[in-house]
């Protein structure tokens, strides 16, 4: 095994070992759902910071973002304003969500909707949307891992990396099963130290080797410029609205995903949430630097599938042992969020999809959630290995547009007065249909075959669909009030 | 200042980042990095600072 591969394997094993030890640290009965799925809601500022950072800034982000910039230039940088304006939203809205959830013992967005609106159909709608959006997201973490395995080559790349992926996912499923949310929280600390090391090295080594940022931008400009898009370092005027709506739509949907809500609710207090809103932007700076690596790859003359440019940059500019460390960073960066996503989706599915359908109250016992988490891990692996990566990418694009359709019910529900449940349900349905048809009409065209292209449309579709959602919800509210002026006002 | 008034500071990142024509330009560069990129990265830092200020200001009111 090469030095790169040895360092890589060693670090991934250390991370897994940390995952297994997590269950034994800090007492608490892991048979109780609250302890297993939310770490007993005891995480302080620092652990929450690592956990949320590890959860939101995923391997797929670190692979797909430079790939997007490499492919389309400035438009791909929308992730930076997105990951910036998300935090005032966390500070103002999600800290309040934490307080309400804590006071009433809610564990999911579905719990919140049931408690706030007393409507099991709205609860079911919101929860099913979250689960559907989470599954392809887990699958895309595997896509990120595949890119690294392809670059490592040898036994790692046989059959699209099926064997190492299966090993990694078995480890992931096992430590999540045993330790619950504490496992990814512990690994996240290790992962984030590796990420900061990797990015610090990348920002020093790569621009230096390529003759500085000015040379990188000049070379990238030349490589990307085309008659259709003569100024690739800027957003074309007709795309400026798309850029803004992509950022806005993504920022509002970020914390509606079940994995984000899981990490958020594991915080010890609303103050921890607010403090993290001010501290998490540190990761967004990393995100911006990583995005610029897409330009570095263009300047370095790399011609490869966009998803593979980051591991190729590591292999070219880092010494072998450090390339192994950087590759391990990406794979561990996939394992942390995949674990939280499977756990969050399983919890949401059992509490707010199965329970309203079966009419039984959700269990306080962690057992069935643990088994379902394993099943979701397996399902995602099957999706990527045996179905088609493109399918996972399309599905995730649609998931991003769908999850924003839950925003009106959640965010209006934070206030003293909201819209009636039936109006919100009608709006949700209209938004879901709109988002799906926009994607079908616009999305599955050749230029979206690159997942790079599909990202471009996520925010766009989602914002238009949520506008329809809101419009329908408001009209329905007005109609309900005309029909029965006294009742139905939530 | 009333507690709610501080929250208006948090409107600034939205205005600064969603008005794309405001910063969709190459010059002035910083260390060779076009304005479009360093402006947005600078707003990441500024947003964190604003959030820190609002956090401290509103927390003291709460006590």
């Amino acid at each position: 095994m090469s030095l790169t591969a040895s360092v890589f394997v060693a670090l991934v094993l250390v991370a897994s070992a940390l995952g297994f030890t997590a269950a034994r640290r800090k007492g608490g009965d892991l048979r109780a759902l609250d302890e297993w799925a939310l770490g007993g809601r005891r995480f302080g500022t620092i652990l929450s910071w690592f956990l949320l950072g590890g959860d939101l800034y995923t391997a797929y982000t670190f692979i797909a973002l430079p790939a997007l910039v490499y492919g389309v230039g400035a438009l791909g940088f929308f992730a930076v304003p997105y990951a910036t304006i998300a935090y005032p939203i966390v500070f103002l809205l999600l800290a309040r969500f934490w307080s309400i959830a804590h006071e009433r013992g809610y564990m999911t967005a579905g719990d919140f909707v049931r408690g706030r609106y007393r409507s099991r159909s709205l609860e079911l709608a919101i929860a099913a949307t979250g689960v559907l959006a989470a599954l392809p997201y887990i699958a895309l973490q595997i896509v990120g891992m595949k890119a690294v395995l392809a670059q490592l080559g040898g036994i790692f790349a046989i059959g699209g990396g099926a064997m190492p992926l299966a090993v990694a996912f078995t480890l992931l499923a096992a430590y999540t099963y045993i330790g619950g949310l504490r496992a990814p929280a512990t690994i996240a600390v290790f992962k984030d130290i590796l990420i900061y090391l990797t990015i610090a090295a990348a920002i020093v080594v790569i621009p230096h080797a390529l003759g500085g940022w000015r040379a990188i931008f000049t070379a990238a400009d030349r490589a990307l410029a085309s008659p259709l898009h003569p100024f690739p370092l800027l957003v074309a005027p007709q795309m400026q609205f798309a850029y803004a709506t992509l950022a806005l739509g993504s920022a509002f949907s970020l914390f509606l995903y079940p994995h984000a809500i899981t990490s958020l609710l594991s915080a010890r207090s609303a103050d921890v949430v607010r403090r993290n809103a001010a501290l998490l932007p540190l990761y967004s700076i990393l995100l911006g630097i990583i995005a610029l690596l897409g330009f570095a790859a263009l300047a370095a003359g790399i011609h490869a599938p966009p998803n593979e440019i980051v591991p190729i940059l590591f292999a070219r500019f880092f010494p072998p042992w450090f390339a192994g460390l950087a590759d391990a960073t990406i794979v561990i960066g996939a394992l942390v969020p995949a674990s939280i996503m499977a756990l969050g989706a399983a919890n949401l599915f059992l509490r707010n999809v199965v329970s309203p359908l079966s009419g039984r109250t959700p269990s306080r016992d962690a057992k069935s959630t643990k088994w379902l988490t394993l099943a979701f891990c397996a399902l995602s692996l099957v999706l990527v290995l045996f179905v088609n990566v493109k399918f996972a990418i399309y599905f995730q694009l649609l998931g991003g547009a769908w999850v924003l359709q839950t925003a009106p019910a959640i965010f209006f529900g934070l206030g003293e007065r909201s819209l009636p449940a039936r109006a919100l349900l009608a709006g949700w349905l209209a938004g879901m249909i709109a988002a799906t048809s926009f994607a079908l009409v616009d999305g599955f065209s050749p230029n979206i075959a690159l997942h790079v292209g599909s990202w471009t449309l996520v925010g766009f579709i989602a914002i238009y669909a949520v506008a329809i959602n809101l419009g329908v919800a408001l009209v329905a509210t007005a109609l309900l009030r005309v029909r029965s002026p006294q009742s139905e006002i939530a | 200042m009333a507690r709610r008034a501080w929250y208006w500071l948090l409107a600034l990142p939205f205005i600064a980042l969603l008005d794309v024509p405001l910063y969709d330009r190459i010059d002035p560069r910083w260390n060779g990095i076009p304005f479009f990129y360093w402006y947005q990265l600078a707003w990441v830092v500024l947003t964190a600072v604003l959030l820190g200020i609002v956090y401290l200001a509103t927390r003291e009111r709460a006590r």
Side-chain angles (χ1 to χ4, degrees):
Chain A
M1 204 163 16
S2 69
L3 183 57
T4 303
S6 313
V7 173
F8 169 79
V9 170
L11 287 172
V12 173
L13 288 179
V14 168
S16 304
L18 282 171
F20 284 111
T21 60
R24 270 183 280 160
R25 292 170 64 243
K26 297 183 190 168
D29 184 359
L30 283 166
R31 280 170 302 182
L33 190 56
D34 225 41
E35 288 290 337
W36 183 81
L38 292 181
R41 306 185 200 239
R42 276 196 299 269
F43 294 165
T45 304
I46 297 184
L47 197 57
S48 281
W49 183 73
F50 280 120
L51 181 65
L52 281 161
D55 189 15
L56 303 175
Y57 299 83
T58 68
Y60 182 66
T61 323
F62 290 156
I63 290 288
L65 200 55
L68 190 59
V69 169
Y70 174 84
V72 302
L75 195 61
F77 210 64
F78 87 88
V80 171
Y82 147 37
T84 307
I85 56 180
Y87 293 109
I89 297 172
V90 172
F91 189 95
L92 295 171
L93 301 179
L94 277 310
R96 170 135 183 87
F97 182 84
W98 186 96
S99 301
I100 297 172
H102 187 76
E103 194 183 305
R104 314 259 165 94
Y106 301 152
M107 296 184 74
T108 60
D111 288 357
F112 173 80
V113 168
R114 184 181 63 224
R116 178 68 178 81
Y117 299 99
R118 315 233 163 268
S119 161
R120 296 224 92 171
S121 37
L122 189 60
E123 172 194 5
L124 185 63
I126 300 300
T129 312
V131 173
L132 279 177
L135 287 181
Y137 222 139
I138 309 171
L140 286 188
Q141 300 310 318
I142 308 171
V143 174
M145 291 162 71
K146 277 179 86 160
V148 171
L149 295 171
Q151 173 60 27
L152 281 170
I155 56 158
F156 295 101
I158 297 168
M163 199 266 289
L165 283 177
V167 171
F169 255 61
T170 308
L171 288 171
L172 163 93
Y175 60 65
T176 311
Y177 182 89
I178 296 169
L181 192 65
R182 283 189 198 136
T186 308
I187 303 172
V189 179
F190 181 62
K191 173 226 148 185
D192 288 358
I193 293 168
L194 291 180
I195 283 211
Y196 281 98
L197 269 175
T198 303
I199 301 307
I203 199 179
V204 173
V205 172
I206 296 175
H208 182 73
L210 292 169
W213 285 112
R214 183 179 288 271
I216 289 174
F217 277 102
T218 307
D221 190 29
R222 213 173 296 136
L224 273 178
S226 67
L228 220 84
H229 196 18
F231 305 107
L233 294 186
L234 294 176
V235 176
Q238 69 271 23
M239 292 304 284
Q240 285 172 340
F241 183 67
Y243 189 87
T245 48
L246 274 166
L248 187 67
S250 313
F252 270 100
S253 56
L254 181 63
F255 273 86
L256 296 171
Y257 276 100
H259 60 274
I261 290 183
T262 296
S263 292
L264 185 88
L265 293 185
S266 70
R268 191 173 50 207
S269 66
D271 228 33
V272 167
V273 174
R274 279 189 211 102
R275 250 176 263 159
N276 264 291
L279 295 173
L280 279 165
L282 189 54
Y283 286 94
S284 302
I285 297 174
L286 291 191
L287 192 77
I289 296 167
I290 291 164
L292 293 181
L293 291 181
F295 288 136
L298 287 166
I302 291 171
H303 294 284
N307 268 351
E308 287 171 24
I309 58 164
V310 168
I312 291 174
L313 276 174
F314 291 163
R316 184 171 307 181
F317 292 103
F318 289 152
W321 70 271
F322 200 82
L325 182 147
D327 288 341
T329 304
I330 293 183
V331 167
I332 300 166
L335 294 176
V336 170
S339 165
I340 308 168
M341 285 166 191
L343 188 160
N347 201 20
L348 186 62
F349 187 77
L350 282 178
R351 292 179 72 82
N352 311 111
V353 177
V354 174
S355 156
L357 289 177
S358 68
R360 273 183 284 176
T361 45
S363 167
R364 296 209 161 271
D365 188 83
K367 205 175 193 177
S368 35
T369 314
K370 288 165 85 166
W371 281 109
L372 193 63
T373 302
L374 293 186
F376 279 171
C377 287
L379 192 67
S380 316
L381 192 60
V382 168
L383 191 69
V384 170
L385 288 183
F386 301 107
V387 185
N388 191 333
V389 171
K390 267 179 202 157
F391 177 73
I393 291 164
Y394 286 149
F395 193 13
Q396 199 256 354
L397 154 85
L398 206 49
W402 283 346
V403 82
L404 192 63
Q405 306 314 314
T406 67
I410 306 279
F411 291 139
F412 286 156
L414 296 173
E416 307 240 312
R417 291 164 54 106
S418 184
L419 303 180
R422 279 200 280 168
L424 288 165
L425 195 60
W428 168 84
L429 187 64
M432 293 293 279
I433 293 170
T436 312
S437 21
F438 289 150
L440 288 176
V441 170
D442 245 8
F444 302 126
S445 62
N447 58 338
I448 253 174
L450 292 172
H451 77 274
V452 180
S454 64
W455 268 70
T456 316
L457 283 160
V458 178
F460 212 47
I461 296 172
I463 286 277
Y464 283 120
V466 86
I468 292 170
N469 179 337
L470 283 172
V472 169
L474 290 172
V475 170
T477 304
L479 288 177
L480 286 168
R481 286 204 175 133
V482 169
R483 272 179 37 196
S484 52
Q486 290 308 310
S487 61
E488 278 289 351
I489 294 167
Chain B
M1 191 149 46
R3 196 176 158 189
R4 274 180 179 262
W6 286 102
Y7 292 151
W8 285 103
L9 276 183
L10 300 181
L12 292 176
F14 287 87
I15 299 164
L17 289 169
L18 295 179
D19 187 0
V20 183
L22 193 72
Y23 57 85
D24 198 10
R25 63 189 81 244
I26 297 284
D27 292 309
R29 287 175 184 252
W30 175 74
N31 274 341
I33 301 175
F35 185 72
F36 178 80
Y37 301 91
W38 71 256
Y39 170 89
Q40 293 182 76
L41 287 173
W43 266 102
V44 179
V45 180
L46 277 173
T47 304
V49 170
L50 287 174
L51 283 164
I53 292 171
V54 175
Y55 170 72
L56 291 174
T58 54
R59 190 178 62 152
E60 288 196 343
R61 283 272 159 182
R63 269 180 196 164

